[in-house]
Amino acid sequence: MQANKSEDDNEYTCHSTNPSGRNQHKDCSPKGDHKVADLLCEYHWRNISDHKLISKLLQAEHSIKMSEATVAHCRRELGLFGSCSTAALLPEVTKCQLVLDQLADDPSGRCGPHIVKELIANKTGVMLPHKYIRDQMMLREPEGFTAHEPSGKKLSQKPLVMLSPHHEWSGHGHDKLTQIGFPIWGICDVWSGSNHLKSAVAYLYLSLCYQLGGMPIQTTADCGSTTTEIYGFANALREHFSPHLSLDELPAHKFLKSVHNTTIECGWLCLCLQWGENVKVYWEAGSGMYNEINPRQYDLVQWLWPKLVQQELNKLWEDFNNHHVRKDSAKKLPSGVSPNVALALHADYQAKNCLQVVDREVVKQLMEKIGGEDLIRFVSVEYEHHAETMFANLGFGELSFHNVWNIFSAMLPLI
């Protein structure tokens, strides 16, 4: 019923007439393979239950051949069930509490049933039917559906056309949290919609190139003072590592107006509605205890809140990349799947990986030359180490929006 990631629960037995698990298929995983059990649990937590899709992902991502029937059998042995089976097995009070817990994490009430369904699966490994979640939300918070209605002015747009993954990265800043002191900058792959969130600009671009071991054919961003360094790095790296691609015929970087940089702008809208508004609510909850003029309080908040915001952004990055978008027959890029699935199975869309390989050591040197990790620090290294030690000693465990101001109050007299 519920996927458990612990090692003890990965023990399972598939009953068959071939107890040794040996057969003529050399690429099949052996019986009782813990790696396969871990992967099936991971796909379940990513809200992927389709046996055919799981079979294809195992082959594409891990070179493991497993038939749809075997996938279904092993999922049953591991207790991994879809939403209908789960709904039939779980007590009503448990199902209801799962929905209520997720609604409690969304004080602004901007998440719809589809998002709530995915978040419950991502956090707990439990899949609930969309209709059940919607009915509970209509019963508990009917006013939330009014908040879900689109309210922004729509521009006339043409369908995006992009060759393949990593052909173009779209970058832009998100300023909605600047008013509380935490601006964000992000990059999104145009073809798949895959997001990469950080808090610096040139350092972000280089760190992403370092992480992936490559760069896109082209990057797009608005023309601002924060993006000029990206323009220089994109041109220099591509000219050095991909000299066969003419910079005159296919520029390494293009400047666009924000309203036309649609891929990343759509991502920011989702981030603002599903997460940003809630961050403001939690921030304002501490307005009566925080005085930014007080240096001790200011320094503690500059360590505590960026740590929390980045932690939650990392989770959101996973949620967005695992989000199953609706099927759109008018869309020329992949739809009906999550960005992670689209990237893993890009060959199914007659696409190829356009990532241009770079020397990671060269990129690392550039990252250090422009300032290194200090560019994404809000406090000194010494303060950070001291605060981390104190946080661990207080025994709060996980930092969250629900306890951040309690931790602030506990740490302030000791810092």
Side-chain angles (χ1 to χ4, degrees):
M1 192 157 46
Q2 178 175 349
N4 192 321
K5 294 182 178 178
S6 67
E7 294 182 2
D8 292 340
D9 289 331
N10 286 336
E11 298 288 343
Y12 69 99
T13 303
C14 296
H15 304 287
S16 71
T17 57
N18 181 16
S20 66
R22 296 180 180 177
N23 55 43
Q24 69 272 26
H25 303 292
K26 61 183 178 65
D27 294 323
C28 290
S29 60
K31 178 185 175 183
D33 188 346
H34 290 181
K35 178 182 178 181
V36 171
D38 290 341
L39 292 173
L40 291 176
C41 288
E42 178 187 332
Y43 289 138
H44 188 84
W45 282 67
R46 286 167 52 185
N47 207 29
I48 301 174
S49 59
D50 183 83
H51 302 152
K52 182 178 180 180
L53 179 57
I54 292 174
S55 178
K56 294 172 70 174
L57 288 172
L58 286 171
Q59 173 67 35
E61 295 182 321
H62 306 284
S63 301
I64 295 175
K65 289 186 178 180
M66 182 177 284
S67 70
E68 297 173 40
T70 305
V71 169
H73 180 68
C74 290
R75 277 175 53 82
R76 284 195 301 271
E77 292 292 332
L78 288 167
L80 306 176
F81 300 113
S83 58
C84 293
S85 298
T86 301
L89 294 170
L90 277 181
E92 177 65 23
V93 64
T94 303
K95 293 184 291 185
C96 182
Q97 191 61 51
L98 287 169
V99 178
L100 291 177
D101 288 345
Q102 185 53 49
L103 294 180
D105 289 337
D106 180 29
S108 63
R110 301 306 293 265
C111 293
H114 187 59
I115 299 299
V116 171
K117 171 182 168 67
E118 291 185 341
L119 291 175
I120 291 174
N122 292 342
K123 291 180 179 179
T124 67
V126 176
M127 295 184 181
L128 293 177
H130 180 278
K131 183 180 184 304
Y132 177 84
I133 294 173
R134 187 180 188 279
D135 290 346
Q136 288 296 318
M137 293 177 68
M138 287 291 291
L139 177 65
R140 311 287 177 176
E141 295 185 0
E143 67 281 358
F145 286 86
T146 304
H148 304 157
E149 292 293 331
S151 58
K153 180 181 177 181
K154 293 187 176 181
L155 297 173
S156 177
Q157 297 175 350
K158 297 180 180 179
L160 285 170
V161 179
M162 201 52 53
L163 294 177
S164 292
H166 303 301
H167 180 269
E168 181 178 312
W169 289 352
S170 173
H172 194 253
H174 181 68
D175 299 327
K176 297 298 188 293
L177 297 184
T178 302
Q179 57 185 282
I180 64 174
F182 309 112
I184 303 171
W185 217 86
I187 288 178
C188 184
D189 177 56
V190 175
W191 185 84
S192 66
S194 178
N195 297 276
H196 300 275
L197 301 173
K198 293 283 184 181
S199 57
V201 180
Y203 186 85
L204 161 65
Y205 176 79
L206 291 174
S207 63
L208 186 53
C209 292
Y210 179 82
Q211 175 187 337
L212 298 178
M215 62 178 295
I217 292 178
Q218 188 174 80
T219 309
T220 59
D222 66 314
C223 186
S225 59
T226 60
T227 59
T228 53
E229 285 191 32
I230 291 183
Y231 174 84
F233 284 129
N235 279 277
L237 288 173
R238 214 188 77 181
E239 184 175 16
H240 183 76
F241 292 109
S242 301
H244 60 287
L245 297 176
S246 171
L247 291 173
D248 295 328
E249 297 178 4
L250 185 58
H253 185 89
K254 279 202 314 184
F255 289 112
L256 298 174
K257 289 185 177 180
S258 296
V259 292
H260 296 146
N261 203 3
T262 54
T263 303
I264 191 67
E265 286 294 333
C266 289
W268 286 144
L269 176 61
C270 294
L271 180 141
C272 179
L273 296 180
Q274 297 176 27
W275 184 78
E277 295 299 326
N278 291 334
V279 175
K280 293 179 184 178
V281 172
Y282 289 119
W283 171 265
E284 291 167 0
S287 59
M289 66 180 72
Y290 171 53
N291 179 9
E292 64 177 354
I293 301 178
N294 185 311
R296 289 176 60 248
Q297 294 190 28
Y298 178 81
D299 287 343
L300 181 55
V301 162
Q302 289 298 301
W303 173 77
L304 200 57
W305 270 83
K307 175 184 174 69
L308 175 59
V309 168
Q310 187 62 63
Q311 168 189 295
E312 297 303 313
L313 278 175
N314 292 340
K315 295 178 183 177
L316 196 68
W317 169 75
E318 292 286 348
D319 293 340
F320 277 11
N321 287 341
N322 288 320
H323 172 57
H324 185 108
V325 299
R326 65 180 177 85
K327 180 68 177 178
D328 185 355
S329 57
K331 188 177 181 181
K332 299 184 182 298
L333 300 182
S335 65
V337 296
S338 70
N340 277 342
V341 170
L343 281 173
L345 303 179
H346 61 269
D348 288 0
Y349 301 92
Q350 292 75 52
K352 64 178 183 179
N353 192 339
C354 290
L355 194 72
Q356 304 299 299
V357 177
V358 300
D359 187 331
R360 297 175 78 242
E361 287 305 313
V362 172
V363 176
K364 187 69 173 178
Q365 291 174 15
L366 292 174
M367 292 167 62
E368 295 300 324
K369 188 174 182 179
I370 64 174
E373 290 190 17
D374 286 343
L375 291 170
I376 55 174
R377 294 186 192 278
F378 285 76
V379 294
S380 67
V381 176
E382 294 75 19
Y383 188 98
E384 183 177 303
H385 289 165
H386 180 53
E388 288 283 2
T389 302
M390 186 177 299
F391 175 79
N393 291 338
L394 286 173
F396 275 96
E398 184 180 2
L399 174 64
S400 71
F401 286 119
H402 295 290
N403 67 9
V404 61
W405 287 116
N406 291 334
I407 294 174
F408 171 82
S409 299
M411 291 183 66
L412 186 61
L414 307 175
I415 199 86

